[in-house]
Amino acid sequence: MADAIRVLVVEDEPVTAEAHAAYVGRVAGFEPVGIAHTGAEAVRLLRDARQPDGSIPGVDLILLDVNLPDTTGIELCRSLRAAGIEIDVIAVTAVRDAAVVRSAVALGIVQYLIKPFAFAAFAEKLNAYREYRTRVGTAIVTDQQEVDASFAALRTSSGADLPKGLTRETLDRVRAAVRDAPAGGLSATELAVRLDLSRVTARRYLEHLADTGAVERANRYGTPGRPEVEYRRR
């Protein structure tokens, strides 16, 4: 694929690694070029490909899991930076620890994608990275506005991709309500009461979160009639 962004997947779980590589191949302008299952394997691959000028011609971007069997993604990234290997990294992980996120920012990790996720969220991150890379690909940026636009390209918001009738603000409130719910999650009826929404509207938001992998559905038993569906944070 000419001029494609070449991606190395670093992920210890073989099935997940293959799935992420397949996702990469589905996004226009990206090409999976390898999979490493450990930090040591990733370092060895990158060092072998490294050129005297420090570039890695075979890899442009790393999709990096934070939990690896022999190290952490954060420590691996530190090692690469210390070795002078400057390569863009997107963290792809289930880790939600704020300290890890802060470390990722400090190391210059350009995106942080939380598992589990749907393909749409994955593609959004990669497309945002591609726009950022295109904007900073020239040797000189012309003005402050161009610099701001380059950084803004990484701060994606999927608001434009929401189903018709849903808003980002309400979706954030729904996500927070599910996150703060007691063990067992929330039903659409309970969410409607909590956020002063109609039950139909509450259910639409919850179903959207479930379809994108942000929450999971479960049947709630113990009441007469059909079991009620509740939505739990993953």
Side-chain angles (χ1 to χ4, degrees):
M1 187 185 301
D3 299 322
I5 296 172
R6 297 155 298 191
V7 182
L8 171 66
V9 176
V10 182
E11 162 68 52
D12 67 317
E13 173 54 49
V15 173
T16 302
E18 292 292 343
H20 290 175
Y23 271 9
V24 170
R26 289 174 58 187
V27 182
F30 289 83
E31 178 185 5
V33 294
I35 293 174
H37 297 298
T38 67
E41 186 179 353
V43 170
R44 184 167 58 252
L45 188 156
L46 293 169
R47 282 180 172 164
D48 289 347
R50 187 181 182 187
Q51 298 298 299
D53 64 358
S55 65
I56 310 291
V59 180
D60 301 308
L61 174 68
I62 300 174
L63 296 186
L64 180 60
D65 188 14
V66 169
N67 290 325
L68 296 169
D70 57 343
T71 186
T72 69
I74 297 299
E75 288 303 320
L76 174 58
C77 198
R78 285 198 183 103
S79 298
L80 295 178
R81 300 298 189 241
I85 298 176
E86 297 294 335
I87 191 166
D88 289 335
V89 176
I90 294 179
V92 182
T93 178
V95 176
R96 291 168 168 80
D97 190 311
V100 173
V101 176
R102 288 194 296 271
S103 295
V105 172
L107 287 167
I109 292 176
V110 296
Q111 296 275 21
Y112 197 100
L113 182 58
I114 295 178
K115 300 175 185 176
F117 48 80
F119 173 73
F122 181 89
E124 181 184 47
K125 292 294 187 186
L126 262 62
N127 286 327
Y129 169 75
R130 182 178 57 199
E131 181 178 350
Y132 161 78
R133 183 182 173 89
T134 299
R135 287 180 177 275
V136 300
T138 56
I140 300 174
V141 291
T142 58
D143 53 28
Q144 184 65 50
Q145 184 176 4
E146 186 173 343
V147 173
D148 292 342
S150 298
F151 281 97
L154 291 173
R155 296 192 293 271
T156 58
S157 171
S158 57
D161 299 326
L162 290 177
K164 186 176 180 179
L166 303 192
T167 68
R168 174 59 50 188
E169 179 182 3
T170 301
L171 185 64
D172 288 342
R173 293 174 61 212
V174 170
R175 185 182 287 110
V178 174
R179 182 188 65 229
D180 298 336
L186 285 173
S187 68
T189 300
E190 291 165 341
L191 179 68
V193 171
R194 182 169 297 195
L195 299 185
D196 194 23
L197 302 171
S198 72
R199 184 183 179 282
V200 172
T201 298
R203 186 175 183 278
R204 286 194 65 206
Y205 279 97
L206 289 168
E207 283 295 309
H208 173 72
L209 289 176
D211 289 342
T212 57
V215 303
E216 60 183 6
R217 304 177 184 89
N219 287 329
R220 180 187 293 175
Y221 298 94
T223 57
R226 297 176 60 185
E228 189 174 21
V229 176
E230 66 179 19
Y231 302 82
R232 304 169 178 170
R233 63 176 296 183
R234 287 186 177 271

